[in-house]
Amino acid sequence: QVQLVESGGGLVQAGGSLRLSCAASGRTFSSYAMGWFRQAPGKEREFVAAISWSGGSTYYADSVKGRFTISRDYAKNTVNLQMNSLKPEDTAVYYCAAGAVLPTDLSKGDYWGQGTQVTVSS
């Protein structure tokens, strides 16, 4: 059983940066792939980034490559998303996800956070 809580969302101007964090509880955290999805108003939820349980492999949506960086801290049971060069189209609710699955199959993961709002102004 894993619980996920996101934090770090807020309002930022285009070109600015935000750092999201996802705190995970559960002793099996280290064996789970983790990552981030987002859902903008009127849009379907979409994949943003994922990281393998070992932290050795990362995956990004084409729309965020070069701008976002995912990482995890095993000691703190945390996965982070550093978001740079933010664009208005990045505006969405960002959800943390985790599961005993391949990072590319994270949409099938069993655990989801409640989401944190990211708003990027022009």
Side-chain angles (χ1 to χ4, degrees):
Q1 185 70 266
V2 175
Q3 292 181 332
L4 307 174
V5 180
E6 303 96 334
S7 63
L11 175 64
V12 65
Q13 293 183 346
S17 299
L18 283 174
R19 186 171 186 264
L20 306 183
S21 293
C22 174
S25 63
R27 63 187 66 192
T28 61
F29 170 78
S30 63
S31 66
Y32 277 57
M34 298 188 69
W36 296 88
F37 291 74
R38 67 187 182 186
Q39 187 167 23
K43 303 291 185 180
E44 298 294 320
R45 184 175 296 188
E46 66 175 345
F47 169 77
V48 176
I51 188 166
S52 63
W53 70 268
S54 68
S57 299
T58 57
Y59 306 84
Y60 299 94
D62 288 342
S63 60
V64 306
K65 285 182 179 178
R67 300 188 298 119
F68 291 11
T69 303
I70 189 170
S71 62
R72 64 192 302 170
D73 185 332
Y74 294 99
K76 298 180 179 179
N77 287 349
T78 300
V79 63
N80 303 305
L81 185 69
Q82 179 66 46
M83 305 186 294
N84 298 326
S85 301
L86 283 162
K87 305 174 181 179
E89 51 263 45
D90 294 318
T91 295
V93 176
Y94 283 70
Y95 297 91
C96 181
V101 297
L102 295 173
T104 51
D105 292 330
L106 192 57
S107 63
K108 300 180 176 63
D110 293 331
Y111 305 103
W112 295 83
Q114 294 181 335
T116 185
Q117 177 70 48
V118 172
T119 302
V120 184
S121 63
S122 300

